[in-house]
Amino acid sequence: MDTDTQDFAARFTDSLTSAPGLELALLRPLLTLLAAGEPVTADQLAAETGRTAQEIRQALAAMPDTEYDTQGRITGYGLTLNPTPHRYETDGRTLYTWCALDTLVFPAVLGHTAQVTSPCRAIGKPVRLTVTPDGPTIVEPAGAVVSLVACETPASIRTSFCNEIHFFTSAETAEEWLAGHPGSRVLPVADAYAIEQPLIQQILTGTSPSGCC
């Protein structure tokens, strides 16, 4: 990975982890519960984290992107029970993610293998991946890329990042999208996974670089 890409990767990770509503200490426990394929209650998340239900509700109030069902149970945060373009199959369950990058990160965080199918943002052709805890092992088509954005003042995880992080079948099919998103990048799937190692470690430890979360 060249120096310019490494610099962009650092900016991306810094901007992502500074986005409002991202509490890394809750992320892995919440993802673990959602991966079971059922809505999650505040009491379940409290038991998983060792916090009180009231503390969990206060934390969730500061996470505006969180999805809920009509009973007030959590149905999605990054990993979701609600259909999106990013299909994520694991352990016999069909789940979804908010963005292309989630499909690369979550197997490492959760320690499982996922079969991923997501349409190219430009032409709609499916991009298919097998992603293990150690990264993607199969990518079809082999030249697929992931779009990344680095926001100076992110509004939230989903609006500022997830809504702009897509798969494309190739760098060529991403050219029109890039032209409309100055300062963004597209990277081969393996490189996109590689630059997320610092974020994966932060999720696993539940801390931000500054230790604020």
Side-chain angles (χ1 to χ4, degrees):
M1 192 180 302
D2 59 46
T3 301
D4 185 51
T5 302
Q6 290 176 341
D7 290 344
F8 176 83
R11 294 198 308 275
F12 172 79
T13 300
D14 288 346
S15 60
L16 179 65
T17 54
S18 69
L22 179 63
E23 185 170 350
L24 290 174
L26 281 186
L27 190 50
R28 188 185 185 193
L30 180 52
L31 292 173
T32 299
L33 291 169
L34 286 169
E38 298 292 337
V40 177
T41 67
D43 287 340
Q44 287 175 303
L45 190 52
E48 189 77 10
T49 60
R51 300 190 188 187
T52 67
Q54 181 59 30
E55 288 172 334
I56 292 298
R57 293 187 183 94
Q58 290 175 347
L60 291 171
M63 299 166 63
D65 291 325
T66 308
E67 299 173 315
Y68 298 91
D69 65 11
T70 56
Q71 299 178 47
R73 299 174 300 177
I74 302 164
T75 57
Y77 193 90
L79 188 65
T80 179
L81 310 183
N82 304 307
T84 75
H86 313 288
R87 188 181 182 96
Y88 186 97
E89 297 177 273
T90 184
D91 297 328
R93 291 183 287 275
T94 297
L95 306 167
Y96 302 87
T97 70
W98 285 353
C99 73
L101 202 59
D102 289 341
T103 69
L104 305 180
V105 170
F106 293 163
V109 171
L110 297 172
H112 61 210
T113 295
Q115 304 297 325
V116 175
T117 306
S118 180
C120 170
R121 177 68 172 182
I123 63 174
K125 181 178 178 179
V127 175
R128 294 186 171 90
L129 306 89
T130 297
V131 188
T132 75
D134 296 319
T137 58
I138 299 173
V139 180
E140 299 175 347
V145 297
V146 178
S147 61
L148 297 174
V149 296
C151 305
E152 292 186 3
T153 54
S156 77
I157 292 293
R158 194 164 194 180
T159 58
S160 296
F161 295 97
C162 292
N163 291 348
E164 302 294 348
I165 299 177
H166 315 290
F167 284 111
F168 294 86
T169 54
S170 68
E172 289 72 26
T173 59
E175 287 177 354
E176 184 175 348
W177 183 91
L178 277 173
H181 295 78
S184 300
R185 300 287 182 91
V186 294
L187 295 178
V189 170
D191 287 352
Y193 173 76
I195 72 169
E196 286 312 294
Q197 294 310 300
L199 177 62
I200 290 169
Q201 291 307 309
Q202 290 169 39
I203 296 172
L204 290 173
T205 60
T207 58
S208 72
S210 63
C212 66
C213 299

